[in-house]
Amino acid sequence: MVMSEIFGSMVFNDAVMRERLPESTYNEFKECCEKDRPLSLEVANVIAGAMKDWAVEKGVTHFTHWFQPMTGLSAEKHDSFITPDGNGGVIMEFNGKELIKGEPDASSFPSGGLRATFEARGYTAWDPTSYAFIKDATLCIPTAFCSYNGHALDKKTPLLRSMEAVSKQAVRLLRLFGRKTEKVLSSVGPEQEYFLIDTGAFLKRRDLIFTGRTLFGAKPPKGQELEDHYFGAIKPRVAAFMRDLDEELWKLGVLAKTKHNEVAPAQHEIAPIYTTVNVATDQNQMTMEIMKKVAARHGMTCLLHEKPFAGVNGSGKHNNWSLTTNFGHNLFEPGKSPADNAQFLLIMAAMIAAVDKHQDLLRISVASAGNDHRLGANEAPPAIVSIFLGDELTGILQAIADGRTYSKRADCEVEIGVHVLPKFPMDTTDRNRTSPLAFTGNKFEFRMLGSAFSIAGPNTVLNTIIADEFSDFADELEKADDQKACIQDIIRRVMKEHGRIIFNGNNYSDEWVREAKKRGLYNLPTTMDCLAYLDSPENIALFEKHGVYSAEEIRARKEIQIENYSKLITIEADTMIDMASKDILPAVTTYEKEIAGTVKALAAAGVDAASHAELLAKLEALYADAAAKLAALREAVGKARREKTVERYGKACRDKVIPAMNALRKVADEMETLTAKKYWPFPTYDDLLFSVN
Ligand code: ADP
Ligand code: MG
């Protein structure tokens, strides 16, 4: 295997374009991408032709506009290149129009009422900043998906708009520092966690098949207590999967490194090298899809759910985010000169203010039924948003705010724009791993994302909230006579008004929950709690100001998210009902019958059968309890379903259905611990978690 032959071999990337396009077309294309200008049809035609020839040489016959509807998955509709040649034969054709715009009949994608069914056809538009690629012998063209009146129906469109917003405002701010920046790009490197289990075991669990997580299951004798899995030796079957996965991803130009084992048994992580957020989002979607496919080839199933197993660490996604100018200068990199440092500190202040003002949006951006199991469960950051800067940087900002010298280091006076900042340690030793949003030297690591998420939403929010702060700062600085004094003022004000969002301690502790409450920070534990804030007047104003979402788009998204939540919980509840009534209760009945027979036989033989009788009585009591809990769950789901509004349905799921599910599970899991293994109707936690070797 020659890496240089594999890497990017299935991508119509810059090198391929340079090689295959006429120079003038290539230059025109590059310029359009850099300046966010639309392509002319002539140029698109030339590119389409070259793309088709390249793909056909690789055995491709079909193309698809590949997009990310609001389901959070990716969608594609395949068309073939084949066109009749007029002489009874066919030719392979693909033109600029087909490249730039597609019209999938997409009426069954969620639109939250944005697209009336009589005009069900939305359109897809090529995103030339994300390369086309070949997957399953199909040329995939990354596209945005909109309704005919221009409403975004996908996750890419708002993300692209947010990239434009942050670039525009960052450029404004940087110009005030005398920089000639033309564009600022947001980049991200997502670390992706996942579980691998044996497909044989997976297929015996209807809960895993229908919902991606186990709805029943007692704690195994061995879980993650020993922490022997973390960075432990990788099992041969998993290692083979990882090698295959890397290769598949490299072909698609994803710079992936399948890495170490994670904390939980059967849990692993993969991370690519960071790239611009729209490309990283596309690549992460592909990665998730390919992980499942490659796992299947190895007889394994890849679980991307946030919490496949209760009592075992769930899976998240760490979103490492930064902003870089077209000259390659990372805005979160502390500078080497006093002037650079004034800019750096101002940008840090922007982040502090943005995060504090928009805690609700950050929380919403990571909200899902699956992620509700993690946030605040002592394995992931809590549902409370805060920011970690480290003691050093916090101390410096505080010193500036207080108008005093930074005392931790005598040699370090921090007057804005006068002194060089001390070097911040870039090493990982003192990094706070419990913070939801941590400054890690030259990027912010947003750690609240669930493993199954599209990273589009969280990055749309990060880009927008910092764009808004940059915009406010630029407004103020443009008017200021004394720039240095103005920066000092801004930092002082930000630390005073928003310093409460900084927390460098242990975010998993109960003290933090109390402390956060004292500081007046939001604590929105569930999806339904936080979604209530999505369409607040402030949030609508923010998104409209920066052209990221219109008010209608926000309301539609809120509705879709609540609807998804309710549907998901209902499917989970129905699956539980099904498994309890058809599998678990009958299994317990059979086991009870055997014990009852034993009691009888022992008594007949004149042997004391007290302990058997006791077990039987215990099981029967649990059975009765389970039957009652099952009936209660049935009623709760029925009632929730009959609610008249989406919102009330969602709340009924949160307040009635989930507690009823938990109650049923508790009894069922207890029965599992008392029932002989051969009677239990499906693989247990130890079967699942230790199914791969
Ligand atoms: P961790 O120590 O949290 O496990 P990793 O080294 O596994 O971190 O992953 C860090 C991720 O952050 C990688 O995807 C990496 O490419 C990305 N990253 C590194 N520097 C930057 C940056 N300046 N901007 C965005 N992402 C970055
Ligand atoms: Mg990380």
Side-chain angles (χ1 to χ4, degrees):
M1 169 175 98
V2 185
M3 181 63 176
S4 59
E5 279 171 24
I6 286 180
F7 189 78
S9 59
M10 292 298 173
V11 187
F12 193 73
N13 58 21
D14 198 67
V16 180
M17 280 189 260
R18 201 190 298 254
E19 185 193 316
R20 290 179 172 252
L21 295 176
E23 202 180 320
S24 61
T25 310
Y26 174 81
N27 290 339
E28 175 69 17
F29 172 77
K30 290 302 277 185
E31 200 168 311
C32 287
C33 288
E34 268 152 33
K35 305 235 160 93
D36 296 320
R37 257 197 354 237
L39 284 174
S40 69
L41 194 56
E42 290 99 288
V43 170
N45 275 329
V46 178
I47 297 175
M51 220 183 239
K52 181 213 60 187
D53 291 343
W54 169 80
V56 167
E57 279 167 32
K58 292 186 182 285
V60 169
T61 49
H62 286 66
F63 71 93
T64 178
H65 275 200
W66 185 76
F67 60 100
Q68 294 155 35
M70 291 186 274
T71 53
L73 305 170
S74 47
E76 40 199 74
K77 178 200 169 227
H78 298 199
D79 275 309
S80 84
F81 292 134
I82 292 172
T83 311
D85 66 358
N87 299 316
V90 290
I91 44 166
M92 302 291 252
E93 239 184 30
F94 185 50
N95 61 38
K97 237 163 110 190
E98 289 168 305
L99 168 64
I100 292 179
K101 196 165 173 178
E103 298 185 22
D105 177 15
S107 48
S108 46
F109 291 112
S111 78
L114 278 181
R115 186 194 38 205
T117 32
F118 62 83
E119 45 157 335
R121 290 166 82 85
Y123 68 89
T124 49
W126 182 32
D127 167 17
T129 57
S130 182
Y131 299 130
F133 57 94
I134 296 171
K135 182 172 67 81
D136 299 332
T138 300
L139 174 68
C140 298
I141 299 154
T143 54
F145 176 40
C146 296
S147 76
Y148 260 113
N149 41 14
H151 290 308
L153 295 175
D154 68 345
K155 297 198 170 243
K156 189 191 260 283
T157 307
L159 180 66
L160 291 172
R161 293 173 183 162
S162 78
M163 288 176 77
E164 236 178 285
V166 72
S167 180
K168 186 171 153 200
Q169 302 302 338
V171 166
R172 261 184 83 200
L173 194 67
L174 294 175
R175 290 278 163 110
L176 291 165
F177 285 88
R179 295 188 185 272
K180 299 200 165 36
T181 314
E182 284 154 1
K183 195 169 179 164
V184 169
L185 283 168
S186 48
S187 301
V188 71
E191 302 163 62
Q192 169 83 49
E193 290 179 335
Y194 61 97
F195 280 87
L196 280 180
I197 61 170
D198 186 79
T199 300
F202 168 84
L203 288 174
K204 293 191 184 117
R205 299 269 324 206
R206 290 210 298 291
D207 47 4
L208 284 175
I209 295 173
F210 294 140
T211 73
R213 75 175 181 107
T214 53
L215 300 166
F216 295 103
K219 214 175 131 354
K222 178 178 176 213
Q224 61 195 55
E225 299 81 2
L226 298 177
E227 305 207 328
D228 52 353
H229 190 70
Y230 194 49
F231 284 92
I234 295 173
K235 292 173 180 144
R237 213 167 139 199
V238 174
F241 157 85
M242 287 182 169
R243 267 196 306 276
D244 249 18
L245 177 59
D246 278 345
E247 199 171 314
E248 290 297 328
L249 292 171
W250 291 338
K251 284 186 203 162
L252 289 169
V254 181
L255 275 160
K257 278 198 289 190
T258 34
K259 303 194 308 181
H260 51 79
N261 294 342
E262 270 300 327
V263 178
Q267 194 184 32
H268 312 279
E269 185 188 289
I270 175 171
I273 292 173
Y274 70 101
T275 176
T276 48
V277 293
N278 66 323
V279 174
T281 301
D282 290 353
Q283 293 193 339
N284 184 245
Q285 292 298 118
M286 284 192 256
T287 301
M288 291 193 284
E289 194 182 316
I290 288 165
M291 283 163 76
K292 295 202 162 198
K293 242 185 246 166
V294 174
R297 256 191 250 155
H298 291 260
M300 296 186 287
T301 300
C302 173
L303 302 177
L304 287 171
H305 192 283
E306 281 79 17
K307 192 74 178 178
F309 307 100
V312 175
N313 267 14
S315 300
K317 188 128 71 182
H318 287 179
N319 189 83
N320 295 275
W321 171 80
S322 65
L323 298 170
T324 317
T325 69
N326 55 317
F327 298 116
H329 170 71
N330 178 351
L331 301 191
F332 299 145
E333 189 88 59
K336 291 194 184 69
S337 72
D340 286 353
N341 284 326
Q343 179 194 309
F344 168 74
L345 291 170
L346 187 69
I347 282 163
M348 287 293 127
M351 192 62 184
I352 294 166
V355 175
D356 187 45
K357 282 188 199 167
H358 305 292
Q359 298 162 44
D360 55 344
L361 287 177
L362 287 165
R363 172 65 186 92
I364 290 165
S365 79
V366 297
S368 75
N371 216 18
D372 282 354
H373 297 289
R374 291 177 64 244
L375 299 176
N378 282 336
E379 58 172 82
I384 306 164
V385 174
S386 67
I387 192 168
F388 168 88
L389 292 181
D391 293 336
E392 187 110 44
L393 184 52
T394 309
I396 290 166
L397 286 162
Q398 199 56 56
I400 293 168
D402 299 345
R404 59 177 165 75
T405 55
Y406 177 50
S407 54
K408 200 170 150 210
R409 292 210 195 155
D411 60 335
C412 165
E413 237 181 298
V414 276
E415 194 187 327
I416 276 289
V418 177
H419 297 278
V420 178
L421 286 182
K423 267 219 162 325
F424 302 113
M426 270 282 288
D427 68 332
T428 54
T429 46
D430 66 341
R431 267 170 43 182
N432 181 335
R433 297 208 163 254
T434 67
S435 176
L437 185 56
F439 179 64
T440 49
N442 63 356
K443 59 184 163 34
F444 280 93
E445 185 169 350
F446 188 25
R447 303 201 181 104
M448 293 173 86
L449 285 72
S451 47
F453 270 68
S454 157
I455 60 172
N459 288 296
T460 301
V461 168
L462 285 167
N463 287 343
T464 308
I465 63 176
I466 198 135
D468 192 53
E469 227 43 56
F470 286 169
S471 158
D472 285 355
F473 287 3
D475 288 346
E476 200 170 333
L477 281 161
E478 277 163 6
K479 282 188 232 119
D481 300 324
D482 181 346
Q483 196 190 51
K484 233 169 67 181
C486 184
I487 294 175
Q488 186 108 11
D489 276 354
I490 291 176
I491 292 176
R492 187 175 303 135
R493 195 180 63 227
V494 166
M495 289 303 283
K496 188 157 169 260
E497 289 172 10
H498 306 292
R500 62 175 186 166
I501 201 73
I502 303 170
F503 181 64
N504 296 327
N506 179 7
N507 292 71
Y508 290 4
S509 69
D510 294 334
E511 294 89 80
W512 169 233
V513 177
R514 284 194 292 275
E515 168 67 19
K517 193 170 176 192
K518 253 194 257 160
R519 295 189 189 185
L521 301 180
Y522 280 127
N523 185 357
L524 305 167
T526 75
T527 297
M528 285 306 295
D529 300 328
C530 62
L531 278 178
Y533 293 84
L534 179 55
D535 55 350
S536 71
E538 298 80 22
N539 287 338
I540 290 180
L542 168 81
F543 285 123
E544 289 205 315
K545 175 177 174 191
H546 297 284
V548 174
Y549 293 112
S550 67
E552 294 97 302
E553 285 171 345
I554 293 179
R555 291 196 192 101
R557 262 152 226 263
K558 179 176 172 183
E559 192 173 313
I560 290 169
Q561 249 187 298
I562 297 180
E563 217 170 65
N564 279 350
Y565 173 86
S566 312
K567 277 186 194 158
L568 222 139
I569 303 289
T570 306
I571 293 172
E572 288 188 348
D574 285 344
T575 306
M576 276 191 102
I577 291 168
D578 199 58
M579 287 171 79
S581 55
K582 293 186 190 153
D583 298 333
I584 298 177
L585 292 180
V588 174
T589 304
T590 313
Y591 185 45
E592 281 187 339
K593 207 166 124 200
E594 185 184 308
I595 306 169
T598 309
V599 171
K600 225 164 147 189
L602 286 173
V607 178
D608 178 12
S611 44
H612 278 89
E614 199 183 308
L615 174 60
L616 183 60
K618 227 188 221 166
L619 269 173
E620 183 48 27
L622 287 169
Y623 187 102
D625 194 11
K629 299 283 168 19
L630 177 61
L633 178 58
R634 274 205 173 100
E635 196 186 320
V637 185
K639 263 194 180 152
R641 266 205 185 93
R642 289 192 295 276
E643 290 290 357
K644 292 279 185 295
T645 66
V646 194
E647 197 125 3
R648 290 178 59 119
Y649 186 5
K651 282 189 180 147
C653 286
R654 176 192 64 189
D655 300 333
K656 299 285 191 287
V657 179
I658 292 178
M661 285 166 66
N662 292 342
L664 173 59
R665 174 175 186 152
K666 191 162 173 273
V667 193
D669 288 357
E670 211 176 324
M671 290 197 296
E672 185 197 315
T673 62
L674 295 178
T675 304
K677 188 157 173 87
K678 69 171 181 178
Y679 288 96
W680 203 249
F682 36 72
T684 56
Y685 267 29
D686 42 347
D687 299 328
L688 294 168
L689 287 166
F690 300 93
S691 60
V692 173
N693 36 45

